[in-house]
Amino acid sequence: MDKFKAALVLAGVGDALGYRNFSRENNALGAKIQQELKEIGGLENLVLSPDKWPVSDNTFMHMATAEAVITEYRSLEDLYRELVKRYLDAIDKLSGRRPDPATIEGCRELKPDNHLLAWHTPFNEKGSGFGASTKAMCLGMRYWQPEKLEFLIEVSIECGRMTHNHPTGFLGSLCTALFVAYAIQGKPLAQWGREMMKVVPMAEEYCKKTIRHMAEYQEHWFYFEAKWQFYLEEREINNENQNKPVFPDNYDAEEREKTYRRWSSEGRGGRRGHDAPMIAYDALLGCSGDWTELCNRSMFHGGESAATGSIAGCLYGLVYGLSKVPKGLYQDLEQRERLEFLGENLYRLSMEEK
């Protein structure tokens, strides 16, 4: 249970740390952010107060997902209706937090008063963003057992499509949910990417059965798979005999900025559904359990650092817990009690046989 609670809390911590730089993300590079952090005493002396270090819409949407999946729903359709209601409630409370425009646009298509079609939204050319991936981690905590893989595929895709109805977007939600499940299962880190790539064809089969006009989606489907295949080859963990990721000899903050931009589709690391989980995963692979190193790699860079930080924090919590994280980063965290409550309930429900 402690690691479930740590996952939700550290997702919030990673979000808050990355979100602080939102207004200057386009020009504040990782090296500068890390230098400024040293000047104010470093991570170990930092206290994340709600007024100075608030969480972003990522955390509120993630909590909305978690709150829906701990309700006593009788069917997945009931769960989807609950998700619609909670997403719209969350969006209403985000004034002043500069929520992701793609998430707002996606929520406009939800139909809470239509019992049959509440969660059905049209294909969206602009729906390839990171927002689906940052609200889906808790789904992997609810359906982490291998025998529940089909549930996890369906729920993560439908959850993602509600706000980001584009393969790059909703495959991001599948990816983060799967990585969380792998963390709980105890799979070696280097295998996660390979295992995810085996599930993507299963996701495509599910979509072919449930999406009426699949042709619009299929022309974009390959992009997500291709980007991840290139990444796994770059780290040399693309086949079963390779379980030690290879990083460049020089992989400092400046080099990481270049790499993240290269992985991105628009020169801003973590902006899309493929590279937000990718940067978080890369940070976890490269930090060797060191919390500060994870933060440097995933939360302090010049891209969408709130998104990559949120995903990386969640995964770190499941693998390593809270013991290596300075208390000042989470003791006064905004929404901490609610996040811990959700972690406890996700643990309890996921351990019950249904």
Side-chain angles (χ1 to χ4, degrees), residues 121 156-165 170 210-211 217:
T121 60
S156 61
I157 286 175
E158 295 300 343
C159 167
R161 288 183 63 208
M162 287 179 198
T163 54
H164 294 74
N165 201 349
F170 64 70
T210 56
I211 296 176
Y217 295 79

Side-chain angles (χ1 to χ4, degrees), residues 189-230:
L189 269 172
Q191 294 179 14
W192 294 6
R194 292 201 301 268
E195 292 296 313
M196 185 263 294
M197 292 295 281
K198 295 175 186 175
V199 176
V200 171
M202 298 169 65
E204 186 173 14
E205 286 306 308
Y206 168 76
C207 289
K208 285 178 180 176
K209 293 174 186 173
T210 56
I211 296 176
R212 185 175 299 173
H213 303 293
M214 187 62 185
E216 318 180 83
Y217 295 79
Q218 284 185 305
E219 63 181 274
H220 299 279
W221 195 278
F222 175 73
Y223 181 81
F224 183 94
E225 290 182 292
K227 282 287 192 178
W228 268 94
Q229 189 59 46
F230 291 147

Side-chain angles (χ1 to χ4, degrees), residues 268-343:
R268 185 177 173 193
R271 185 69 193 141
R272 299 295 177 210
H274 71 283
D275 63 330
M278 190 179 288
I279 290 170
Y281 179 54
D282 196 64
L284 197 64
L285 280 172
C287 77
S288 301
D290 185 302
W291 168 256
T292 299
E293 186 62 20
L294 181 90
C295 293
N296 287 339
R297 290 173 181 240
S298 65
M299 301 161 201
F300 305 136
H301 62 87
E304 200 68 51
S305 50
T308 56
S310 180
I311 299 166
C314 184
L315 296 173
Y316 185 96
L318 287 166
V319 177
Y320 299 107
L322 278 175
S323 63
K324 300 178 182 181
V325 181
K327 287 186 178 178
L329 296 182
Y330 59 85
Q331 64 186 5
D332 297 328
L333 178 72
E334 184 181 13
Q335 302 292 332
R336 176 190 163 189
E337 290 183 1
R338 191 173 167 201
L339 290 164
E340 289 180 338
F341 169 81
L342 292 170

Side-chain angles (χ1 to χ4, degrees), residues 20-89:
R20 177 70 183 273
N21 302 302
F22 180 92
S23 61
R24 53 179 194 169
E25 273 174 352
N26 287 324
N27 53 30
L29 300 182
K32 183 180 179 184
I33 296 167
Q34 290 163 39
Q35 181 58 40
E36 290 176 356
L37 194 62
K38 284 181 183 176
E39 291 170 4
I40 60 171
L43 270 179
E44 61 275 11
N45 294 311
L46 197 60
V47 176
L48 299 191
S49 59
D51 57 333
K52 293 183 179 178
W53 295 85
V55 296
S56 80
D57 59 313
N58 296 328
T59 296
F60 281 89
M61 293 297 282
H62 192 208
M63 289 192 298
T65 306
E67 285 167 345
V69 297
I70 65 172
T71 59
E72 294 185 5
Y73 49 89
R74 295 184 179 182
S75 67
L76 290 182
E77 287 77 14
D78 284 344
L79 170 61
Y80 300 153
R81 293 182 192 102
E82 187 68 25
L83 282 165
V84 166
K85 185 176 79 172
R86 291 186 182 271
Y87 286 157
L88 292 174
D89 285 346

